[in-house]
């Protein structure tokens, strides 16, 4: 959600600055839950926590290497899983995120190809991987590569849907996202204006939507 979405969620009864407080608490402050957003009044926090959830993936398993690299198996709301890898690199960390559950590109060297394509990840699920890993590591700067499960340009709309965040003040310093196989036809067919300027590497900063409690 961007600021406009948050303003709409909060409703006309709340001043505009409440949306900014919520935005900064979730994405800059990495609040663990809506009830923990201390900059909001207690009654508003309780109301939001009762109606919405953060919608972040759950860490099903965590594997850590001797060099500090962490591999996460993340469980989505529908029970499907994807992998995310966080690699420490001095002043910044690199995170490798997934764009699809499975993959339709039949690369013989890739285990994911054996799964086939189950579905595309939503924009929220894509950036949710980043927030989960960033909270685990307390990382302030992240170099993002989209080389986990799936082919990003076959889920182009959800990969670049949060492009508006590129022009907002940084929440996390998401630098670059790269695709393995940039098929030109995917870019030409995209209904998103300016999509061809976003591949194979482009500034990337995004946020997951809040989930209404009890919704599918």
């Amino acid at each position: 959600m961007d600021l406009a979405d948050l303003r709409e969620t909060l409703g006309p009864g709340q001043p505009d600055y409440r949306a900014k407080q919520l935005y900064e608490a979730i994405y800059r402050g990495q609040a663990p839950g809506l009830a923990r957003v201390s900059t909001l009044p207690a009654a508003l926090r309780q109301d939001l926590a009762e109606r919405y959830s953060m919608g972040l993936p759950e860490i099903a398993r965590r594997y850590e290497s001797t060099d500090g690299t962490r591999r996460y198996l993340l469980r989505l709301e529908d029970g499907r899983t994807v992998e995310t890898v966080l690699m420490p690199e001095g002043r910044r960390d690199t995170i490798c995120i997934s764009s699809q559950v499975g993959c339709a590109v039949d690369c013989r060297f890739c285990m994911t190809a054996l799964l086939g394509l189950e579905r595309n990840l939503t924009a929220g699920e894509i950036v949710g991987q980043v927030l989960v890993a960033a909270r685990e590591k307390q990382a302030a700067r992240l170099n993002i590569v989209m080389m986990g499960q799936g082919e990003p340009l076959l889920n182009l709309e959800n990969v670049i849907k949060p492009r508006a965040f590129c022009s907002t003040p940084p929440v996390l310093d998401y630098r670059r996202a790269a695709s393995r196989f940039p098929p030109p036809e995917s870019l030409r067919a995209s209904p998103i204006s300016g999509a061809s300027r976003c591949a194979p590497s482009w500034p990337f900063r995004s946020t997951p939507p809040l989930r209404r409690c009890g919704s599918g």
Side-chain angles (χ1 to χ4, degrees):
M1 281 187 168
D2 59 16
L3 282 172
D5 293 328
L6 290 174
R7 290 189 189 102
E8 183 177 351
T9 298
L10 292 174
Q14 296 294 334
D16 285 350
Y17 68 83
R18 293 294 186 206
K20 185 175 181 180
Q21 288 176 322
L22 183 57
Y23 180 96
E24 292 186 350
I26 293 173
Y27 305 121
R28 187 188 299 275
Q30 299 176 21
L34 296 174
R36 301 283 293 278
V37 181
S38 59
T39 52
L40 298 180
L44 179 57
R45 295 200 305 265
Q46 181 178 352
D47 178 61
L48 289 173
E50 289 175 353
R51 292 191 293 138
Y52 300 97
S53 66
M54 297 287 284
L56 296 179
E58 172 193 353
I59 298 176
R61 290 190 179 181
R62 181 193 296 104
Y63 306 90
E64 187 159 356
S65 177
T66 54
D67 65 357
T69 298
R70 297 180 183 180
R71 180 165 62 94
Y72 301 94
L73 182 67
L74 301 180
R75 182 176 291 111
L76 308 174
E77 287 193 338
D78 64 359
R80 292 180 170 88
T81 57
V82 293
E83 288 194 344
T84 299
V85 179
L86 179 67
M87 297 163 280
E89 292 185 309
R91 291 189 301 173
R92 69 178 185 185
D93 297 330
T94 291
I95 182 171
C96 179
I97 61 176
S98 298
S99 56
Q100 296 176 309
V101 181
C103 187
V105 180
D106 190 20
C107 299
R108 299 300 181 181
F109 59 84
C110 182
M111 288 295 293
T112 305
L114 299 178
L115 302 175
L117 177 64
E118 296 190 27
R119 70 171 176 84
N120 288 332
L121 295 182
T122 67
E125 289 169 335
I126 290 171
V127 78
Q129 298 170 72
V130 178
L131 291 182
V132 167
R135 291 176 180 187
E136 280 270 299
K137 185 66 166 51
Q138 294 297 306
R141 297 192 64 190
L142 289 175
N143 181 60
I144 294 180
V145 292
M146 302 200 73
M147 297 181 69
Q149 293 180 11
E151 169 46 49
L153 292 181
L154 297 181
N155 185 19
L156 187 61
E157 183 174 359
N158 285 328
V159 165
I160 66 173
K161 184 177 181 180
R163 64 200 181 283
F165 288 87
C166 294
S167 60
T168 62
V171 178
L172 292 174
D173 192 9
Y174 301 166
R175 287 296 185 185
R176 303 177 77 81
S179 170
R180 290 183 299 258
F181 307 107
E185 62 273 14
S186 294
L187 297 177
R188 287 195 296 268
S190 172
I192 303 174
S193 175
S196 60
R197 296 194 298 271
C198 294
S201 60
W202 34 274
F204 181 94
R205 183 162 55 254
S206 173
T207 53
L210 295 179
R211 301 276 188 182
R212 183 175 295 276
C213 290
S215 65

